[in-house]
């Protein structure tokens, strides 16, 4: 698992920051858990959290782009599980490139919590359920808010 080497980030006080959370509804149970964990983490860190849903991962970048105009940070959440066609590769590449471009063009951090897995079980293991080994919704929120605070200090 990619959790190996994950840094401990402490003492984040995101009071006064606004963060948008955009979550895909595809693979609903997994995405709902990512969403819950991101929202909870943002609130615990003191940020004002705006909450939006889109149908699939391909719709994430356009909404993230719009939120980057007014938010201090944005978190994109979703789950793409490999199927039997190359569609997985196209979706994952498009979403990653789109989110990266938005962060660079806007100068706003975009926490990428879009799971790209081979199996549903791998996604469950990364979604922050009880017994999961990772919590990507919380991690994406923490990374986005930490980066927003760093950018404010530069």
């Amino acid at each position: 698992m990619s959790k190996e080497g994950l840094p401990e980030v402490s003492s984040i006080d995101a009071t006064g920051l606004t963060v948008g959370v955009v979550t895909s509804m595809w693979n609903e149970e997994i995405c709902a858990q990512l969403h819950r964990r991101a929202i909870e983490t943002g609130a615990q860190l003191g940020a004002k959290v705006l909450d939006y849903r889109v149908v699939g991962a391909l719709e994430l970048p356009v909404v993230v782009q719009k939120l980057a105009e007014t938010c201090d940070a944005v978190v994109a959440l979703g789950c793409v599980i490999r199927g039997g066609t190359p569609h997985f590769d196209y979706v994952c590449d498009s979403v990653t490139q789109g989110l990266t471009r938005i962060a660079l063009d806007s100068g706003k951090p975009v926490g990428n919590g879009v799971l790209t897995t081979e199996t549903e079980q791998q996604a469950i293991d990364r979604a922050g359920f009880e017994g999961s080994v990772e919590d990507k919704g919380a991690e994406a929120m923490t990374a986005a808010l930490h980066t927003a605070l760093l950018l404010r200090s530069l």
Side-chain angles (χ1 to χ4, degrees), residues 52-115:
Y52 300 93
R53 302 287 181 122
V54 295
V55 172
L58 285 174
E59 291 74 44
L60 289 167
V62 70
V63 177
V64 168
Q65 182 177 41
K66 186 67 174 175
L67 287 172
E69 294 174 7
T70 57
C71 292
D72 298 294
V74 187
V75 175
L77 303 168
C79 178
V80 185
I81 301 170
R82 187 180 295 278
T85 69
H87 184 70
F88 172 88
D89 299 308
Y90 301 131
V91 170
C92 295
D93 188 49
S94 294
V95 171
T96 301
Q97 285 189 38
L99 296 177
T100 300
R101 192 190 92 212
I102 293 160
L104 294 172
D105 290 351
S106 69
K108 303 286 180 77
V110 176
N112 185 345
V114 180
L115 302 180

Side-chain angles (χ1 to χ4, degrees), residues 15-76:
T15 303
L17 295 183
T18 300
V19 59
V21 177
V22 186
T23 306
S24 167
M25 294 184 290
W26 206 269
N27 296 306
E28 178 58 32
E29 181 183 0
I30 293 161
C31 289
Q33 178 65 11
L34 291 167
H35 190 80
R36 265 190 301 279
R37 292 296 301 134
I39 299 283
E40 289 170 3
T41 301
Q44 288 169 355
L45 297 175
K48 176 182 177 185
V49 181
L50 307 178
D51 173 359
Y52 300 93
R53 302 287 181 122
V54 295
V55 172
L58 285 174
E59 291 74 44
L60 289 167
V62 70
V63 177
V64 168
Q65 182 177 41
K66 186 67 174 175
L67 287 172
E69 294 174 7
T70 57
C71 292
D72 298 294
V74 187
V75 175

